[in-house]
Amino acid sequence: MNLTLATYNIHACIGADGRFKPERIVHVLRELNADVVALQEVEHHDVDGCDLLDYLAAETGLTAVSGPTLLRRTRHYGNAILTRLPILTVNRVDLTLPGHEARGALDITLDGKGRRVQVVATHLGLMPWERRHQVRELLKLFNIGSANIYVLMGDLNEWFLWGRPLRWLHAHFKRSPHCATFPARLPFMALDRLWVHPRKRLAIVEVHASDLARMASDHLPLKGIIEM
């Protein structure tokens, strides 16, 4: 049996044409047909009288877990996870550093067809020293032995291929494929990443580059398949 994962920065559902069209994100999510999707830049718009995240969940048939990093009077903003697997635990982690944009991670445990699957979904900061601190904090979340499979995925904003954050992550999880996802129209930067432990479980990592995905957001989704 396989488990399909994806990470997708939806850019608040604003596409390459500058238009807010959440229905395009819904169609891309349906194309992915993933069991677990990490979402970044989820802005809590009202869509037909429904919160945006609730709308995405309803239209895809998935369960939503919110992880807002900015709590505003009008619209919250941040991370989320959509999943079709039973949720066992949820832990919201603050990765914000003083003077910088609020950042965080969602750390959840899922029942993955009889196996415990820990998924940590995140969106890291823009400054190198900021990402170094945040990656150190993320690695503390993984207690190898408490679950069967461990996943870290999200928009890491890490474009230094030989920088310390990626070296630390590769050392912890073993190396994962480098796939360009940004910008969506003509991607050349691998900002979106996916790691799995044990590494041998990760069978496929690929960019989902459909015509609609190139239009729906400024990032392309990254998809992975785990052999259970």
Side-chain angles (χ1 to χ4, degrees):
M1 295 187 296
N2 294 334
L3 186 67
T4 302
L5 311 169
T7 180
Y8 190 16
N9 184 326
I10 64 173
H11 194 48
C13 296
I14 298 173
D17 55 1
R19 300 174 64 189
F20 173 72
K21 298 194 71 173
E23 62 272 20
R24 291 190 293 211
I25 298 297
V26 167
H27 288 301
V28 174
L29 292 172
R30 288 174 179 168
E31 290 175 353
L32 289 167
N33 191 30
D35 299 293
V36 186
V37 186
L39 301 177
Q40 301 87 45
E41 297 191 15
V42 180
E43 191 158 24
H44 292 237
H45 291 268
D46 183 283
V47 183
D48 299 330
C50 183
D51 174 81
L52 173 61
L53 183 58
D54 293 336
Y55 165 80
L56 296 177
E59 291 295 313
T60 58
L62 303 173
T63 300
V65 181
S66 64
T69 54
L70 291 174
L71 299 175
R72 300 182 293 203
R73 181 175 299 178
T74 52
R75 293 197 292 266
H76 301 335
Y77 175 89
N79 303 308
I81 289 177
L82 296 174
T83 181
R84 62 169 53 99
L85 302 180
I87 300 167
L88 303 178
T89 65
V90 176
N91 177 31
R92 295 175 175 87
V93 182
D94 186 3
L95 297 175
T96 306
L97 290 173
H100 291 269
E101 181 180 339
R103 301 287 180 174
L106 267 174
D107 173 14
I108 70 173
T109 305
L110 304 169
D111 182 354
K113 302 175 182 177
R115 298 178 185 271
R116 288 171 63 86
V117 180
Q118 181 185 7
V119 176
V120 176
T122 192
H123 187 187
L124 300 189
L126 297 176
M127 301 302 295
W129 67 268
E130 189 182 6
R131 294 193 296 275
R132 290 195 291 268
H133 170 82
Q134 290 163 344
V135 167
R136 285 194 293 264
E137 293 302 305
L138 288 174
L139 290 177
K140 294 176 184 178
L141 300 175
F142 294 96
N143 180 21
I144 301 300
S146 64
N148 293 105
I149 295 173
Y150 310 85
V151 177
L152 172 63
M153 58 181 174
D155 179 356
L156 267 66
N157 270 325
E158 183 58 70
W159 47 85
F160 299 115
L161 298 183
W162 303 108
R164 277 175 279 179
L166 286 184
R167 294 207 311 268
W168 295 337
L169 289 165
H170 289 323
H172 191 86
F173 289 99
K174 296 188 179 178
R175 189 170 294 274
S176 187
H178 171 90
C179 303
T181 56
F182 180 86
R185 286 285 186 89
L186 191 63
F188 66 94
M189 301 175 74
L191 300 185
D192 304 279
R193 294 281 186 155
L194 190 157
W195 284 272
V196 172
H197 178 85
R199 175 62 177 83
K200 64 183 180 181
R201 298 285 186 187
L202 183 57
I204 297 172
V205 178
E206 60 187 11
V207 177
H208 181 77
S210 68
D211 290 342
L212 185 58
R214 293 184 185 277
M215 175 61 69
S217 172
D218 62 344
H219 286 243
L220 293 172
L222 185 68
K223 184 175 179 179
I225 296 178
I226 295 177
E227 293 180 340
M228 300 293 286

